[in-house]
Amino acid sequence: MPLGKAAKYGYLSARCRTLRSQLIDSETMRSLTASRSIGELSSALSATLYAPYITTVSSEGIHQGLTEAFESLRSKLIRELSKREKAVFELFFVTKYTLVDEKMDEAHAANPEEAFRRIDTDYITLLKKSMLGLPSSEQRQLKKILGSYFDLLNLYNLVKFRLLYKQSVEETLAYMLPFAEKFKIEELAKLCDVGTIKQLSRKVEPVLGEGFD
């Protein structure tokens, strides 16, 4: 990595550490968990950096104040980044959490699973498009970060769908494989039986329009 880029990200890392040191410490956290009312909780937060953002002593007021505090911290962290870099952060750390509201609106649709899959696919398409606007060196770094996140998400899905919901391997794969929505359950079952990359390529080619090596 060029020295200038390393210095920029080193500066961001140092700023993260500084802001992290101002967050709630273990002693304050113990006080918060011991609170028996909203008033006690608000009082325990009064000596923290969140206090200026909490204007109403209520559960809604505290939630709104904490949200605004973290939005302010995020703005401080990314204000030196370029417009394209900020767009990636916005998609990953803000837009991602609005997907839940979109899915709630589709929960009673005729086929909610398809609606949820469409919402996720549209979001990932936006994220990929945004990342492709960055310099190649930064794309590689962000791909590692986002890849690690989605690996963790896949493990979460594996536990949820296989162990908790007792779904089949094929049903679980539908939530984990790229382009899985293009395959029927029977086709996913055949993908589970392949023994080589070449066989896998032949199996996906009729559906995706091309294979791979």
Side-chain angles (χ1 to χ4, degrees), residues 11-13 47 49 51-52 55 67 81 109 124 144 148 163-165 179 202 212:
Y11 173 65
L12 279 175
S13 179
L49 62 77
T55 58
T67 300
L81 299 180
I124 290 171
K144 288 181 180 178
S148 297
L163 301 184
L164 300 182
Y165 298 167
F179 309 109
R202 285 203 300 266
F212 52 86

Side-chain angles (χ1 to χ4, degrees), residues 67-165:
T67 300
E68 290 180 4
F70 281 112
E71 288 176 354
S72 176
L73 289 174
R74 185 180 65 250
S75 296
K76 289 179 180 178
L77 285 173
I78 67 174
R79 64 189 176 196
E80 305 296 334
L81 299 180
S82 69
K83 184 177 180 180
R84 288 178 174 177
E85 290 169 329
K86 286 180 180 177
V88 175
F89 273 78
E90 185 77 15
L91 279 168
F92 195 70
F93 291 107
V94 180
T95 306
K96 180 176 67 176
Y97 296 102
T98 67
L99 302 184
V100 175
D101 295 330
E102 290 185 43
K103 290 178 180 179
M104 288 296 290
D105 292 338
E106 298 285 352
H108 301 293
N111 192 342
E113 289 82 6
E114 281 301 314
F116 296 166
R117 196 184 302 276
R118 173 184 52 76
I119 291 169
D120 287 337
T121 302
D122 289 347
Y123 168 71
I124 290 171
T125 300
L126 283 174
L127 191 59
K128 288 170 65 176
K129 183 178 179 180
S130 182
M131 285 182 61
L132 289 173
L134 299 175
S136 58
S137 60
E138 294 183 23
Q139 286 183 37
R140 288 193 295 270
Q141 294 173 60
L142 281 172
K143 281 180 180 178
K144 288 181 180 178
I145 295 170
L146 297 181
S148 297
Y149 169 78
F150 284 112
D151 285 344
L152 183 62
L153 191 62
N154 277 338
L155 287 174
Y156 170 79
N157 283 335
L158 188 61
V159 171
K160 181 171 66 175
F161 294 116
R162 288 287 290 148
L163 301 184
L164 300 182
Y165 298 167

